[in-house]
Amino acid sequence: QVQLVESGGGLVQAGGSLRLSCAASGRTFSSYGMGWFRQAPGTEREFVAQITWSGGTTYYVDSVKGRFTISRDNARNTVYLQMNSLKPEDTAVYYCATDNAANLRVGLRHDYWGQGTQVTVSS
């Protein structure tokens, strides 16, 4: 069974940085795309970033372009989200997700989700 475990969240001041990690287990990590999503209180979950199985292609929501970087280490079965120049509006629970397919499906319906990690950015 696929398991995803996020870590690295916390409280940071605006302008600061955090690096989130998502450790995967239960299947061959390097064969699947991975994504990061977030959900702030009272809002719907939204896409943040995704990376292909090889790490060769990445996609970002416009609001984080130039500030966030998604990467993966297939030897460690881990995907990362480096978040720089954080803003109060980045405050949310961050989740990683993956599918039973080589590429992450478009949208919010995914086969596997982690439990989430809280990121709070103070102004």
Side-chain angles (χ1 to χ4, degrees):
Q1 183 174 353
V2 175
Q3 289 191 318
L4 304 174
V5 179
E6 301 97 335
S7 61
L11 173 64
V12 64
Q13 288 188 330
S17 299
L18 284 173
R19 188 177 80 156
L20 306 183
S21 300
C22 171
S25 61
R27 67 180 185 186
T28 303
F29 177 77
S30 60
S31 297
Y32 300 92
M34 300 290 296
W36 283 99
F37 299 78
R38 66 186 180 185
Q39 187 167 19
T43 69
E44 293 187 351
R45 193 168 297 188
E46 67 168 349
F47 166 79
V48 176
Q50 71 177 85
I51 188 166
T52 54
W53 64 270
S54 67
T57 304
T58 57
Y59 304 92
Y60 299 92
V61 67
D62 286 348
S63 60
V64 307
K65 284 180 181 177
R67 300 189 298 122
F68 290 11
T69 302
I70 188 171
S71 62
R72 66 190 296 158
D73 183 341
N74 287 340
R76 295 179 183 272
N77 293 348
T78 301
V79 61
Y80 303 99
L81 186 68
Q82 178 67 45
M83 306 186 295
N84 299 328
S85 302
L86 282 161
K87 304 175 181 180
E89 52 263 44
D90 295 318
T91 295
V93 178
Y94 284 70
Y95 301 88
C96 63
T98 189
D99 291 315
N100 286 320
N103 297 313
L104 196 70
R105 285 194 296 268
V106 174
L108 299 177
R109 293 181 182 271
H110 298 290
D111 296 322
Y112 305 102
W113 291 91
Q115 84 288 349
T117 186
Q118 176 71 48
V119 171
T120 303
V121 184
S122 63
S123 57

